[in-house]
Amino acid sequence: MRRVVAVLAVLVVVLGALIGVRLWTQTRALAAPSGGSGEIEGTIVDLSSRVGARIVELRVKEGDRVRTGDLLVRLDCADPAAALAEAEARVASARAQAAAATAQLSVSERNRVAARASQDAARKQAAALAAQAEAAERQARRLEALPNDVAASSIDQTRASAEGLTRQTEAAISQAAASEAQAHAAEVGIRSAGAQAEAALAQVRAGEAAVARARLLVDECELHAPRDAEVQTLPHEAGELVSPGATLVRLVDLSDLKATFYLPNAEIGAVRPGARATVVADAWPREVFEAKVRTVSLEAEFTPRNIQTRTDRDRLVYPVEVTVVNRDGKLRSGMPVQVTLTGTGR
């Protein structure tokens, strides 16, 4: 009987100790800073080309570190290059036509100015000759009115002079009319040359746009690194024919890391964007990496259909994303980590 009592006493003591340890552990956990488990993610950049072509050369291998501007892949782009040359030739032809039309417009404008000047001079000459003819006619009538001792030859000479001036006046008037017709023709030529020049300039602009588009496609024949990163994946081999938009290189930037963990609904008030945090990776358990909260989701996940009890509310979690300082480049994509929000407690 005493053995049974002793055994029961030992069991009670052991159970009490276990319960005490469990309560102490829970109390420490409740007092510990908020946080959760996550996974390191690098910045993924998928590079592709707008053109479909055959891969001529792969300048990198998986795992290589590349710097901004490094050539990664070169495609066979004979067709885009030919299209670019054709577009540039069309632009050169359109510019020549535009120059010719502009020159013709300038010639028409000079012809109009010259015709207007000739018309003005002819009109002034006609007016002067008409005044002289009128004066000569008046002189002839005055001589006819004098006594008979005035020589008839003088009268005839004055009359002939008046008639000659009249014919010269008519010729000047005709010249003015011809100059006006030339000016009108020049104006028509100006309108025609102006329309041709505008059409040629429009062709130049269209050709330049075609050149820019063709050059853009030619530039797509070489893929360069947009940032410092590491080559994670090369899905294709040299010689393969790839379609437009196919991923040719996948880069991962390990200088800009992030990790996402889930915070329970009861602890969401302990975190805000910009808050400091620490990260410990399973691969480096004795090292602490600095982090900072980037975003806190506005929408909960794993939400029950009907939130009616406290237990249901406790099941709500919010994704929290932190940026991690990758000291010495030790952290890699996919590493599991423990994120702790500093200065917080449950």
Side-chain angles (χ1 to χ4, degrees), residues 122 126 129 166-176:
L129 292 173
T166 300
R167 287 193 295 272
Q168 290 179 12
T169 300
E170 292 175 351
I173 293 173
S174 299
Q175 179 61 36

Side-chain angles (χ1 to χ4, degrees), residues 245-259:
T247 298
L248 302 180
V249 183
R250 170 168 288 183
L251 301 178
V252 56
D253 184 359
L254 297 178
S255 65
D256 185 14
L257 298 182
K258 65 179 181 179

Side-chain angles (χ1 to χ4, degrees), residues 77-91:
C77 286
D79 289 343
L84 175 59
E86 181 181 0
E88 290 175 341
R90 289 182 178 178
V91 168

